[in-house]
């Protein structure tokens, strides 16, 4: 397939106009959002949705998120709109919060992987909103990566995975949040199935106590079923090993320096994900600064791009664990999965 590439800045109307028609005709469009790039299709057309699964190599039992351009567009997609959803939509939409509730008959089973619930989000990114409006239908979209790889947050990483697999790609530059949306189930007690830019603390400030699904920070136990099907798959895996060091910044750095030296003796190429606070511990070693430990959103913003860029020619990446608070919960969720839960503690 020949992929048509548009630039969101210089070919604004043209790009979303063409892409909107492609979506209506059952095709695939990669588009920028504030979280990560999405691979979209007409969310009301089961056959078009199936093409997403094929293009990504995504298991069919992992449901997709429907993206809408205005709050009232959620109405026909859910059985009804519960009061708590209205409160959350008013507080956080448009933005990186996906809400799960009972689906209506309009939503095809291909989107929900046969579940009786559907995930919906209104993104904030102007190009994403313009595309959804141009398409005139909700857009079903997972992240625009090949299944299992880190989600793409810039156009180079999109092209790596999706050139030749989508009809249209819209280049919107780097994504601001850098990790996928927070997924909150509103069936029963509000539960975070996947943490993201809208934090547990922010949600609790509006609706009170919110649960966090066990699978967010822990590998699934034998025989345990995931509240969210996506949680059971290996995710965000770069082309090298990732090892997480747990402890205070000083002791995490000590673990990393010790393991780095050992790995180097074995002839391995090593890389460290350092932070502003810890970079001085790693003098003489290969490291990149991926953000500020006190501003975990900065770590989220660069994690996926760093996993892709730094895994090239690298055998092992060492990264510090940070407290799983605020955006740190999303960061640790992605980092632990990228490492296959390989954690070293003193
Ligand atoms: P992605 O499309 O890659 O951003 O992933 C969407 C995430 O939301 C995956 O982890 C899905 O398993 C999860 N998800 C989507 N719809 C539902 C649903 N109806 N119930 C539970 N989890 C869902
Ligand atoms: Mg994904």
């Amino acid at each position: 397939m020949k992929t048509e590439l548009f630039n969101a800045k210089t070919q604004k109307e043209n790009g979303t106009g063409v892409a909107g028609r492609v979506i209506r005709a059952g095709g695939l469009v990669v588009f920028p959002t504030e979280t990560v790039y999405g691979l979209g299709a007409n969310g009301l057309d089961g056959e078009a949705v199936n093409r997403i699964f094929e293009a990504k190599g995504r298991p069919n039992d992992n449901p997709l998120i429907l993206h809408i351009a205005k709050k009232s567009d959620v109405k026909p997609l859910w059985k009804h709109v519960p009061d708590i959803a209205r409160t959350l939509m008013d507080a956080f939409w448009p933005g990186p919060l996906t809400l799960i509730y009972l689906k209506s008959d309009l939503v095809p089973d291909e989107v929900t992987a046969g579940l009786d619930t559907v995930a919906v989000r209104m993104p904030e990114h102007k190009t994403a909103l313009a595309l959804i409006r141009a398409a005139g239908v909700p857009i079903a979209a997972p992240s625009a990566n090949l299944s299992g790889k880190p989600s793409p947050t810039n156009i180079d990483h999109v092209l790596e995975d999706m050139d030749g697999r989508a009809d249209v790609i819209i280049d919107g530059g780097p994504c601001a949040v850098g990790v996928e949306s927070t997924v909150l189930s509103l069936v029963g007690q509000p539960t975070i199935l996947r943490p993201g830019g809208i934090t547990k603390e922010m949600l609790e400030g509006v609706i009170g106590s919110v649960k966090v699904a066990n699978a967010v920070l822990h590998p699934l136990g034998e025989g345990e079923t995931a509240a969210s099907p996506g949680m059971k798959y290996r995710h965000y895996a770069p082309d090298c090993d990732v090892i997480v060091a747990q402890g205070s910044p000083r002791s995490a750095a000590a673990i990393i320096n010790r393991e780095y030296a050992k790995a180097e003796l074995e002839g391995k190429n090593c890389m460290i994900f350092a932070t502003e606070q810890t970079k001085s511990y790693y003098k003489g070693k290969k490291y990149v600064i991926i953000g500020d430990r006190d501003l975990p959103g900065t770590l989220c913003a660069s994690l996926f791009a760093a996993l892709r860029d730094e895994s090239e020619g690298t055998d092992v990446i060492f990264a510090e664990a940070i407290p799983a608070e605020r955006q740190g919960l999303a960061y640790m969720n992605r980092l632990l999965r990228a490492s296959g839960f390989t954690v070293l503690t003193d």
Side-chain angles (χ1 to χ4, degrees):
M1 174 192 289
K2 173 102 182 75
T3 300
E4 210 174 344
L5 181 64
F6 288 97
N7 183 295
K9 272 211 186 99
T10 56
Q11 301 166 293
K12 207 163 145 192
E13 262 93 63
N14 196 9
T16 46
V18 170
R21 284 193 289 280
V22 165
I23 295 272
R24 287 190 76 86
L28 297 182
V29 173
V30 176
F31 62 101
T33 80
E34 70 276 22
T35 59
V36 303
Y37 275 81
L39 173 65
N42 181 347
L44 301 181
D45 175 350
E47 259 179 57
V49 168
N50 273 335
R51 284 187 199 114
I52 295 177
F53 288 90
E54 276 164 37
K56 279 182 62 100
R58 180 172 171 112
N60 278 69
D61 65 350
N62 193 5
L64 305 179
I65 295 168
L66 289 179
H67 294 73
I68 58 175
K70 56 180 196 300
K71 292 176 194 170
S72 57
D73 286 348
V74 74
K75 250 182 114 174
L77 305 174
W78 283 346
K79 273 223 162 94
H80 63 101
V81 181
D83 288 343
I84 191 168
R86 282 181 210 282
T87 306
L88 288 164
M89 283 154 51
D90 285 342
F92 300 113
W93 279 10
L97 175 66
T98 295
L99 299 174
I100 291 182
Y101 197 62
L102 302 173
K103 86 177 196 74
S104 74
D105 293 338
L106 191 65
V107 179
D109 284 340
E110 287 84 351
V111 170
T112 63
L115 296 176
D116 60 359
T117 54
V118 66
V120 184
R121 159 167 124 85
M122 178 181 172
E124 191 171 22
H125 199 289
K126 289 206 167 45
T127 305
L129 290 171
L131 172 65
I132 301 163
R133 278 195 293 266
V137 289
I139 295 186
S143 47
N145 51 286
L146 294 175
S147 200
K149 296 234 282 175
S151 302
T153 54
N154 63 44
I155 193 64
D156 291 342
H157 296 165
V158 165
L159 290 170
E160 242 171 54
D161 283 13
M162 286 300 146
D163 196 14
R165 290 176 184 266
D167 298 285
V168 171
I169 293 177
I170 305 177
D171 173 4
C175 302
V177 179
V179 292
E180 305 84 346
S181 59
T182 303
V183 175
L184 183 73
S185 172
L186 297 176
V187 183
Q189 197 189 335
T191 304
I192 293 175
L193 304 183
R194 177 178 73 186
I198 303 294
T199 65
K200 177 176 192 277
E201 292 82 353
M202 289 159 80
L203 294 168
E204 289 187 328
V206 174
I207 57 166
S209 171
V210 168
K211 276 197 345 189
V212 177
N214 185 50
V216 165
L217 290 179
H218 305 280
L220 273 187
E222 194 116 342
E224 196 182 345
T225 49
S228 178
M231 298 279 192
K232 68 181 183 217
Y233 295 108
R234 174 97 199 264
H235 258 102
Y236 319 123
D239 301 326
C240 72
D241 290 340
V242 178
I243 296 176
V244 180
Q246 195 145 40
S248 66
R250 181 188 283 271
S251 55
I255 295 171
I256 289 176
N257 280 325
R258 186 188 70 214
E259 296 300 318
Y260 186 113
K262 267 201 244 168
E264 238 183 6
L265 280 178
E266 292 167 13
K268 290 184 179 163
N269 274 325
C270 304
M271 176 57 71
I272 298 168
F273 284 2
T275 58
E276 291 297 345
Q277 287 81 355
T278 55
K279 60 189 178 198
S280 61
Y281 294 126
Y282 304 121
K283 287 211 179 91
K285 302 213 164 56
K286 265 200 280 179
Y287 67 85
V288 284
I289 300 167
I290 61 160
D292 182 325
R293 289 177 64 100
D294 296 333
L295 301 168
T298 61
L299 301 176
C300 289
S302 54
L303 177 66
F304 285 148
L307 283 173
R308 283 190 182 240
D309 288 338
E310 304 307 333
S311 60
E312 261 177 61
T314 298
D315 298 302
V316 52
I317 291 172
F318 295 100
E320 301 156 17
I322 63 163
E325 293 157 5
R326 301 178 292 140
Q327 273 100 354
L329 184 62
Y331 181 73
M332 287 310 297
N333 168 265
R334 305 313 192 275
L335 183 63
L336 287 169
R337 276 156 193 281
S339 77
F341 293 92
T342 310
V343 182
L344 297 177
T345 318
D346 247 352

